[in-house]
Amino acid sequence: MSLIMDRELVTPGYSVGLDAAGTITGATAQAQTFTNGIITAGLSDLAGGLMAPWTRTRIVDAGGKGNYTTLSAALAAIVDAAAGNTYTIYVVSSVAETDTVAGKSYVDIVGANNATITMSKTTSGAAVSLEDLVYTTWRNLRIVRAGEIANGQSSVYALWIGGTSDSSVRCEHVVAENLCTRVATADHLAGLVIGGDATPTLIACEGIGSSIAYYGHGIWWQQQAAGLALNCIGRGGPAAGGQANNWGIYILNTAAPTLMGCVGYGSHAGANGYGIYIRGTAAPSLLNCHGSGGDVGTLSHGIILADAAKPLISGGVYQGGTGGTSYGLLVSNYAAPEIHGASFVPKSFVHTETVTATGTFVISAVVAHQIKAVSLNVGVAGTAASLAIGTTVGGAEIITATDISSAGTKYPVLVDAGAEPQLAANATLYVTITGTGSPSVGIYLSGEYAPASSYAVYLNGAGAVRLDRCTLIGNCYASYGLVIGTDARTADKLRVMNCHIEGRADQAGAGVAIYTGSAYNPAPIYNCTLIGAATNITAAAGTANGTNTLI
């Protein structure tokens, strides 16, 4: 059987087929092998010694089996790309570049076989630049910026999209990672950066900042940039031991992108590991996004809004991290967000352990935490056996003796449910097993981190803030759902409506739903459910709680 290709051949007039074994046959063609639709062995006489079987297709392979060994060479050779004359370049192996690879309009770049483009040099510049382009798609690629950056260099990115590049400039399943090291003062070593007037379309992309520089952001919108990002991830420089201010997603100046289902993870390296940071006069829209603060440093907020930023936030979950003071949301300066249906809650954890006898285990948590649920998976049952978990030798402060005489999953009730014990960082728990036999039990603990001075939401600016149908839950250590600072109270531009606001109970059984340092009367808080006290708050509408329900 022979299959005739339906694409234009390199040299017209030849009939070339593909037999059942995947071998090219025909007039003067040499034997060739296809892998995943791409020629991986043999050279075609029809292409003048080149592999590509079509006129506007190019193959990049570092091992010499393609038309070119670098992507930059393949792009440089294309001089006639236009609306009616588009090209596709397949990158079928990892390639090394020595300078910025500049994309071209009407040329698509597609990766295969986990292809990585790595550019290394000591000075500023991006590994790949998509500047002032139209109609180009980069797909299934990993782009790496590497090299030791010289003293004083800045703006060192893995992928830069700028100028007037519009929505027809697309990146799909592209990872842009900054692996640079630096000397002295080099900074701004980000993963994926969008600037100028660019409005690209990003789908399932990931930006990873450098962990050894200041401002190692994952994804960074700046200047007047906008566009759409769908299901993308930004990670502030993730490795331990880095510098400060490495944010997952950073939106600056007058940038106004739309983010849908995106996630920003603050740095696990250095101070100020914000999940998402929006400032300047930026006015982005965040729809069902997630901001998660980092796990080290002094400030690790889920999302921070500053200067005169005016974002629209709808849905999503925002969680402070475990590094120092960690708010789910911090609003400062004159930021004026409109927020609907979002949740600001403590970061959760899961710990698993398998035990066969009385003993101890340690929950690896760098800050205080609180267990919220326990389940036991009895793989091997004991005889007349039970298991208890406590914070003291032989104690049962977490769960009382639970029968493990039969196999299966058990769901014991926590002691003091609703005011569970607050555990110190890296807490030791004590397991007591009674009875006979040789039981084997998997213990599954889930709970919440509880760093000190870390509220669900802290409003500390003078801008007009709107919170509607949101969920605000403080952790068991800080115990505050919503804290209203002096500037917010004085400006009196706040509106909180139809929200669930809760201060988690600590071991003393106390929690504060809303707190402000001095009397706020009347406070513009309407139709909310408050679990915990409302300190120094007299809600509008004539009574202590106004139209709110205090539980």
Side-chain angles (χ1 to χ4, degrees):
M1 163 179 167
S2 179
L3 174 66
I4 303 299
M5 297 183 180
D6 61 358
R7 295 289 297 271
E8 182 182 357
L9 294 173
V10 173
T11 303
Y14 287 94
S15 176
V16 178
L18 182 69
D19 67 19
T23 301
I24 290 181
T25 61
T28 58
Q30 299 177 22
Q32 303 195 13
T33 302
F34 266 69
T35 301
N36 297 326
I38 296 173
I39 303 172
T40 56
L43 298 175
S44 173
D45 288 347
L46 301 182
L50 301 177
M51 284 176 51
W54 308 305
T55 54
R56 295 189 298 274
T57 300
R58 301 291 182 266
I59 307 295
V60 173
D61 178 76
K65 294 181 180 179
N67 306 97
Y68 303 95
T69 58
T70 66
L71 178 56
S72 54
L75 283 162
I78 296 174
V79 295
D80 60 346
N85 194 52
T86 61
Y87 285 78
T88 299
I89 298 175
Y90 291 95
V91 183
V92 300
S93 72
S94 294
V95 296
E97 303 282 350
T98 58
D99 206 344
T100 299
V101 177
K104 288 189 174 182
S105 297
Y106 304 106
V107 179
D108 295 338
I109 312 298
V110 180
N113 303 322
N114 301 311
T116 297
I117 302 166
T118 301
M119 191 276 277
S120 298
K121 67 175 184 177
T122 61
T123 55
S124 299
V128 169
S129 174
L130 307 181
E131 179 95 11
D132 297 324
L133 302 184
V134 295
Y135 294 102
T136 177
T137 296
W138 291 57
R139 182 184 298 120
N140 300 336
L141 289 161
R142 180 170 178 255
I143 300 170
V144 173
R145 179 62 162 91
E148 184 176 72
I149 306 304
N151 185 36
Q153 298 295 306
S154 185
S155 302
V156 180
Y157 312 140
L159 172 59
W160 161 258
I161 305 175
T164 58
S165 291
D166 64 14
S167 61
S168 66
V169 175
R170 299 169 63 91
C171 291
E172 302 174 4
H173 301 278
V174 170
V175 176
E177 184 171 8
N178 198 313
L179 293 179
C180 290
T181 57
R182 71 176 188 132
V183 177
T185 59
D187 58 19
H188 292 90
L189 275 59
L192 168 55
V193 182
I194 306 97
D197 295 300
T199 58
T201 302
L202 310 176
I203 299 176
C205 293
E206 184 171 353
I208 306 172
S210 170
S211 61
I212 51 77
Y214 291 98
Y215 311 113
H217 314 316
I219 304 178
W220 179 3
W221 279 269
Q222 58 177 249
Q223 299 164 335
Q224 301 78 238
L228 172 66
L230 178 63
N231 297 329
C232 295
I233 298 174
R235 300 181 189 273
Q243 300 296 326
N245 303 327
N246 294 346
W247 308 317
I249 293 175
Y250 184 31
I251 305 175
L252 179 63
N253 305 128
T254 60
T258 297
L259 281 65
M260 300 177 66
C262 295
V263 182
Y265 293 108
S267 172
H268 300 297
N272 305 341
Y274 310 143
I276 300 175
Y277 189 10
I278 304 172
R279 60 181 301 192
T281 56
S285 296
L286 277 64
L287 310 177
N288 295 320
C289 294
H290 179 196
S292 181
D295 293 331
V296 296
T298 54
L299 299 171
S300 300
H301 311 314
I303 181 169
I304 177 171
L305 312 175
D307 300 331
K310 196 172 182 179
L312 170 64
I313 299 174
S314 179
V317 178
Y318 301 90
Q319 300 169 293
T322 59
T325 301
S326 304
Y327 308 132
L329 164 67
L330 171 62
V331 181
S332 63
N333 306 124
Y334 293 92
E338 187 171 329
I339 304 175
H340 302 275
S343 295
F344 306 95
V345 296
K347 183 178 283 189
S348 58
F349 71 88
V350 175
H351 181 89
T352 62
E353 200 78 29
T354 299
V355 298
T356 57
T358 294
T360 64
F361 64 89
V362 174
I363 298 179
S364 297
V366 296
V367 295
H369 50 285
Q370 188 176 44
I371 296 171
K372 306 299 292 184
V374 178
S375 64
L376 305 177
N377 183 15
V378 183
V380 179
T383 302
S386 67
L387 181 151
I389 303 175
T391 56
T392 59
V393 176
E397 294 86 356
I398 307 296
I399 60 170
T400 57
T402 301
D403 181 69
I404 56 170
S405 300
S406 60
T409 303
K410 319 289 183 178
Y411 300 98
V413 176
L414 290 169
V415 175
D416 295 327
E420 298 85 355
Q422 175 187 314
L423 305 177
N426 299 315
T428 297
L429 295 186
Y430 297 83
V431 177
T432 302
I433 295 179
T434 62
T436 59
S438 301
S440 178
V441 181
I443 300 174
Y444 299 85
L445 307 174
S446 62
E448 297 170 346
Y449 292 114
S453 303
S454 299
Y455 321 132
V457 173
Y458 185 21
L459 305 180
N460 194 35
V465 178
R466 300 290 184 270
L467 291 170
D468 180 27
R469 295 175 289 109
C470 293
T471 298
L472 291 66
I473 299 178
N475 70 59
C476 68
Y477 193 107
S479 300
Y480 295 140
L482 170 62
V483 174
I484 302 172
T486 301
D487 288 347
R489 186 175 65 248
T490 302
D492 197 27
K493 297 180 180 179
L494 169 68
R495 294 294 182 271
V496 179
M497 303 162 285
N498 310 307
C499 293
H500 173 102
I501 308 174
E502 178 178 349
R504 284 279 198 235
D506 58 17
Q507 287 176 284
V512 177
I514 307 176
Y515 174 84
T516 186
S518 59
Y520 193 6
N521 181 11
I525 301 170
Y526 307 95
N527 303 324
C528 295
T529 298
L530 311 180
I531 300 179
T535 303
N536 292 327
I537 294 288
T538 301
T543 67
N545 300 321
T547 58
N548 305 293
T549 300
L550 180 63
I551 297 176

